[in-house]
Amino acid sequence: MVWDLFDFTTENCRSIIREWVSTERLSRRDIGQLNQKLDMLRIAGPTLPPKLLAGPIYKHIYKLIVHGDRMLRPFLCKGPLEMEQEYTLLLGAIEADWKLDRHPSEAENNRSLVIADPGRRRPHERY
Amino acid sequence: MSDISDSLRRELRDAEYSEGYSESFLNSYIATQIKVIREQRGMKQVDLAREMGTTQTAVSRIENVNYSAWNIRTLKKLARAFRVRLRVSFETYGTLPDEVERFGRDGLQRAAREDDPDLLERIGPHREGLAHRAMAAAMGGNSGNANRWAENVFVMTPLRSQSADIPQSGGLNAT
């Protein structure tokens, strides 16, 4: 079974993860590693690849672990509409010195927005 | 899933991207296959650790898609514990999209030596040795011809029984 991936969108309908990739100026190498982990999540699901996701680190929020040149930790949640067949990427985050640059409560808030308005997400785009 | 495959084929033309993607896939593949084969054997991490002469913590560390400090020695230990062979091979980037698409539990499982269907269906080493010696004797001690005979027999016609396929002296048209 292939899992569906969605990106939370900003108020002007842009993928929040695409914007994050752009504003953080991620290297092509890091984007390759990020896409690999996301492909694995889609193809194999959350449990087959060991320690692909960490969490929940806060309420419904998991973080994807990407050990690249920078420690990418995008936040995501299962569902939240179809709990057994989709994940939604909610917020980009980076870890440095064991600290995340964003608080997962922001991602939880984005999750609530998606539940209230499913239009606040779009099918995941590759970066 | 062909959308992943098609996109990936284009993306892998970028040198930096392809290195990042493929190295991450390698780590994910090894970690997942270790976990899958361990579960296939009905082993817990502590059982595998015992077989390898290491600790459960060490097994837990390598069963992690983000672990990247692999060395051949550890992989060989794992292969012995799982009773499979280790293959290390350099590959082109173009083969990666298909590997990504096929990634799944079924494709990662491996039979142990004693359950390997490819070994069970073939002539066993004991019978092979007997047949080879019998053929060499039939050819007047010429083991070179006997080797060629053996190759032809294995490729073209599996042995039905030890004696039935050993031709009498002068009865073989070896090529």
Side-chain angles (χ1 to χ4, degrees), chain A residues 2 27-37 39-40 42-44 47-53 65-67 69 126-127, chain B residues 1 3-4 7-8 11 14 16-17 19-21 23-25 28 31-32 35-36 60 63-66 100-101 103-105:
Chain A
V2 177
S27 68
R28 292 301 296 163
R29 183 182 171 80
D30 279 350
I31 294 171
Q33 298 209 9
L34 172 64
N35 279 349
Q36 189 276 325
K37 292 285 166 56
D39 286 348
M40 187 132 290
R42 280 190 66 188
I43 291 167
T47 55
L48 181 63
K51 298 172 187 163
L52 180 62
L53 300 179
I65 310 286
V66 183
H67 282 194
D69 298 330
R126 293 179 78 84
Y127 315 117
Chain B
M1 269 189 294
D3 58 329
I4 290 180
S7 304
L8 193 51
E11 293 161 358
D14 180 298
E16 252 194 89
Y17 182 98
E19 287 168 10
Y21 193 102
E23 288 168 20
S24 185
F25 180 76
S28 300
T32 308
K35 176 189 153 194
V36 164
S60 175
E63 279 190 14
N64 183 335
V65 293
N66 296 297
V100 171
E101 273 206 12
F103 187 86
R105 182 176 291 275

Side-chain angles (χ1 to χ4, degrees), chain B residues 15-87:
Chain B
E16 252 194 89
Y17 182 98
S18 60
E19 287 168 10
Y21 193 102
S22 62
E23 288 168 20
S24 185
F25 180 76
L26 170 66
N27 295 332
S28 300
Y29 189 100
I30 297 174
T32 308
Q33 192 174 34
I34 292 168
K35 176 189 153 194
V36 164
I37 299 179
R38 176 178 60 74
E39 290 174 349
Q40 185 185 10
R41 302 283 185 274
M43 300 167 91
K44 295 187 182 304
Q45 286 185 342
V46 68
D47 302 323
L48 177 57
R50 197 178 304 116
E51 288 274 332
M52 293 174 66
T54 186
T55 62
Q56 182 271 330
T57 310
V59 172
S60 175
R61 192 166 55 239
I62 59 179
E63 279 190 14
N64 183 335
V65 293
N66 296 297
Y67 183 76
S68 59
W70 301 105
N71 66 62
I72 296 283
R73 191 162 162 264
T74 305
L75 295 173
K76 283 179 178 172
K77 278 187 184 179
L78 283 159
R80 280 195 290 271
F82 290 143
R83 302 184 303 289
V84 294
R85 71 185 175 94
L86 174 67
R87 186 174 86 165

